[in-house]
């Protein structure tokens, strides 16, 4: 739904699943990444600074769960680091964005490089 331009619908559909999952399990990590991606998508299309900050922060919290719990799952962990980096960038925190980028590079080299 997010890739179809319907991130709010994606969040609504994900919410009950997230409430039933455990964030440290592979499925829980994936759900947090999907919800974080929906929040990030909403932040990127918003025109109001307050809404951008709100959605980017919500996305950041979801992606950081993936950073913490996803290390055992390389692709999810790399995606969480990238999502957190993008949220930090939208929030104007270049230092933490750079830290996420460096962590992704340290863990995975060029395996999960994003544009």
């Amino acid at each position: 739904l997010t890739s179809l331009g319907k991130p709010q619908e994606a969040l609504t559909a994900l919410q009950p699943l997230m409430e039933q999952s455990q964030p440290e399990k592979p499925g829980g990590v994936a759900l947090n990444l999907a919800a974080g991606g929906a929040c990030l998508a909403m932040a990127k299309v918003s025109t109001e600074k307050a809404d951008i900050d709100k959605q980017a922060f919500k996305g950041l919290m979801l992606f950081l769960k993936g950073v913490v719990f996803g290390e055992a799952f390389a692709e999810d962990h790399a995606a969480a680091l990238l999502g957190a980096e993008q949220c930090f960038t939208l929030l104007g925190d270049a230092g933490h964005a750079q830290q996420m980028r460096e962590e992704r590079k340290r863990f995975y080299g060029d395996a999960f490089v994003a544009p």
Side-chain angles (χ1 to χ4, degrees):
L1 287 170
T2 298
S3 65
L4 295 173
K6 300 176 183 182
Q8 184 58 57
E9 289 180 36
L11 279 176
T12 301
L14 288 166
Q15 195 60 43
L17 299 171
M18 291 174 65
E19 290 171 1
Q20 297 172 16
S21 71
Q22 296 175 348
E24 71 278 3
K25 302 287 184 176
V29 172
L31 289 170
N32 280 308
L33 293 178
C39 290
L40 183 59
M42 288 191 298
K44 286 181 176 180
V45 298
S46 182
T47 57
E48 295 183 28
K49 176 71 171 136
D51 193 47
I52 293 169
D53 289 348
K54 177 184 173 184
Q55 294 303 329
F57 184 77
K58 285 171 56 178
L60 177 62
M61 294 300 105
L62 292 162
F63 284 124
L64 288 177
K65 286 182 183 179
V67 170
V68 172
F69 295 121
E71 196 170 323
F73 319 104
E75 289 182 29
D76 289 340
H77 189 236
L81 288 165
L82 175 61
E85 175 189 339
Q86 292 174 336
C87 289
F88 276 127
T89 299
L90 283 176
L91 292 167
D93 190 341
H96 281 107
Q98 178 66 27
Q99 182 182 357
M100 296 294 108
R101 189 171 24 262
E102 289 171 1
E103 284 292 302
R104 197 172 74 250
K105 180 78 171 173
R106 180 174 68 87
F107 276 102
Y108 306 109
D110 293 330
F112 298 105
V113 175

